Amino acid sequence: MITASPTCRLSAPVPGWRELWRDAITDAGELLSAVGLAHRADLLPADDAGFPLRVPRGFVARMRHGDPDDPLLLQVLPRQAEHVEAPGYTIDAVGDMASRAGHGVLHKYDGRALLIASGSCAVNCRYCFRRHFPYGEDIAAAAQWREALAHVAADTSIRELILSGGDPLSLATHKLEELTRGLASLPHVIRLRIHTRLPVVLPERIDDAFVAWLAALPLQKVVVLHANHANEFDANVDAACARLREAGATLLNQSVLLAGINDDADTLAELCERSFAAGVLPYYLHQLDKVTGAAHFEVPDHLALDLVDALRARLPGYLVPKLVRELPGDPSKRPVADSAR
C-alpha cells in the first residue's frame, strides 16, 4: 500500500462562490464578535427593522477590528436609527412601482429597460432603496425570462438592457445564458449593462464560467459596480475587476453619499483614486434615495456640493463622479444643482 509522505499534504478545496454566499454572516451578534465588538451589544436595535442582516465573511475581513465606526461595518449593521420615522421617506423612494412595464421589467428612461433579475443580494446594505421592494411578485428571470423578453422585443426603441435587482450576479451563470440566448433575436438591443455589488463584496463570483459567458457576448458590455469607500477594494476585488475588463466590459463605479461613512473630501478622493487603480471609472455619486429606514445616512445637498467642489480642485475631471439624485417620474438622473446651497 502506498502512503503519503509526511511532508505531502492534500490541500483543502477552495470554496466556490456559492459556498461563500451560503456562509455569509446573518446574525448581528456574530458580526460584532467577528470584528472584536462582542462587548458592544448596545450598538444593536431590538430587531432588524424588517430587513435582515447579510454580509459575506470576506467583506467582514476588510473591516477595522475593534472600531464601531468602521465605514464598512456601518453600511451593513442594523441600527436603532432605522426605526425613526422621517418626513418624506417612503418604501418606494424612486417610483419603481409606477414604472413596471411587465413581469420584472421597469421602464423609466428612453432607450433603456431595466430587468429585476433577482431579489437576492450577497450583502444587505442598510441604505438600499429597494429594501422594501416586493421581489416575490417581480422577478424577470422567472419562466426563462419570457415575459421580460417579450416586452423588450415589442419595443424596438430599447437599445440598452440593464440587469439589476437585488443583484443579477446572484443568478447562476446558466440563468444569465438563458437571457442572452433570448436577446440574440433582438438586433435593436446593442448593449447589456449589469449593476452589481458582487465583484466588490464577493469577488469569487467572477469565476471561469462567468468570464467565458461575458466574453462571448456579441453586445457592448458595461458593468456598474457599487463601492462607497476605498477600504472595500483589496487584491481579490482588483483581480475580479481585471477579469471583467479582459472579458470586454467597461467598468464604472457608483457610490452613495452616506453620513459618517464617506461624507468628507479626503475619503471620497481616496475612493475615486482607488477605484481607478482597479480599472473602474468613477461614474455617479448618488444623493441618498429617501427610503424608509435610511434617513440617518442623509447628507444635505449644500454639503454634498461642497464635497464635489473639493474633488474637482484636487482630482482630474475624469475621476470626479457626477452628483445626482433619482426622483420618481424624472426622465433621467437629476444633477444636484448649485441652487441647493
Side-chain angles (χ1 to χ4, degrees):
M1 184 174 72
I2 300 175
T3 59
S5 163
T7 59
C8 177
R9 296 287 184 268
L10 295 176
S11 58
V14 176
W17 71 272
R18 292 181 183 83
E19 289 77 19
L20 295 170
W21 178 294
R22 288 193 289 268
D23 193 39
I25 291 177
T26 57
D27 177 77
E30 182 183 1
L31 174 58
L32 289 180
S33 179
V35 295
L37 294 169
H39 60 291
R40 293 298 309 273
D42 60 295
L43 296 173
L44 299 177
D47 58 54
D48 57 19
F51 189 48
L53 181 149
R54 183 177 188 86
V55 56
R57 294 177 188 274
F59 192 73
V60 174
R62 298 171 225 165
M63 298 176 183
R64 293 193 293 256
H65 202 75
D67 183 0
D69 296 318
D70 176 78
L72 278 59
L73 176 66
L74 294 181
Q75 293 183 52
V76 301
L77 184 70
R79 287 189 272 176
Q80 186 59 44
E82 295 178 42
H83 294 268
V84 177
E85 293 188 10
Y89 280 73
T90 68
I91 62 172
D92 184 15
V94 298
D96 279 345
M97 295 299 99
S99 303
R100 288 186 290 185
H103 196 81
V105 181
L106 304 183
H107 201 162
K108 295 184 181 184
Y109 306 143
D110 286 349
R112 290 152 284 172
L114 183 147
L115 305 190
I116 300 292
S118 169
S120 298
C121 282
V123 64
N124 285 348
C125 304
R126 306 312 299 179
Y127 51 86
C128 178
F129 69 95
R130 290 200 179 115
R131 59 183 286 171
H132 305 289
F133 190 85
Y135 287 111
E137 304 168 17
D138 269 295
I139 298 296
Q144 289 76 51
W145 309 86
R146 278 195 292 269
E147 189 170 338
L149 284 168
H151 174 80
V152 177
D155 188 343
T156 57
S157 74
I158 296 172
R159 296 173 62 78
E160 178 174 84
L161 198 60
I162 303 167
L163 299 187
S164 185
D167 197 304
L169 298 197
S170 67
L171 296 174
T173 300
H174 72 82
K175 289 295 293 183
L176 297 170
E177 290 171 341
E178 284 179 359
L179 169 65
T180 48
R181 280 198 299 271
L183 290 177
S185 62
L186 306 179
H188 57 282
V189 178
I190 63 170
R191 188 164 49 249
L192 183 69
R193 190 193 330 169
I194 302 172
H195 284 214
T196 177
R197 193 134 159 76
L198 259 77
V200 175
V201 302
L202 192 66
E204 293 82 2
R205 174 62 185 96
I206 311 304
D207 58 12
D208 291 346
F210 177 83
V211 171
W213 165 75
L214 189 66
L217 291 183
L219 297 165
Q220 296 172 345
K221 295 160 284 199
V222 180
V223 177
V224 182
L225 305 180
H226 175 186
N228 300 310
H229 196 279
N231 292 359
E232 297 180 42
F233 289 89
D234 66 4
N236 289 333
V237 176
D238 291 344
C241 291
R243 300 198 79 189
L244 291 169
R245 293 198 313 276
E246 289 164 5
T250 297
L251 302 188
L252 306 173
N253 183 56
Q254 59 180 353
S255 307
V256 181
L257 187 57
L258 300 166
I261 292 172
N262 60 8
D263 57 336
D264 70 85
D266 289 342
T267 299
L268 287 174
E270 185 181 5
L271 169 62
C272 293
E273 293 277 16
R274 184 62 183 86
S275 170
F276 192 65
V280 186
L281 190 68
Y283 173 40
Y284 277 149
L285 178 61
H286 287 269
Q287 272 293 55
L288 183 73
D289 295 317
K290 294 191 174 186
V291 63
T292 299
H296 54 293
F297 288 114
E298 185 175 9
V299 177
D301 282 0
H302 69 280
L303 295 180
L305 287 162
D306 288 345
L307 289 170
V308 174
D309 282 348
L311 292 181
R312 290 195 189 102
R314 69 170 70 182
L315 295 175
Y318 58 85
L319 290 188
V320 180
K322 291 176 278 190
L323 180 66
V324 297
R325 66 160 36 90
E326 183 171 359
L327 294 175
D330 272 10
S332 67
K333 300 290 190 298
R334 180 180 296 190
V336 177
D338 283 343
S339 60
R341 286 189 219 261

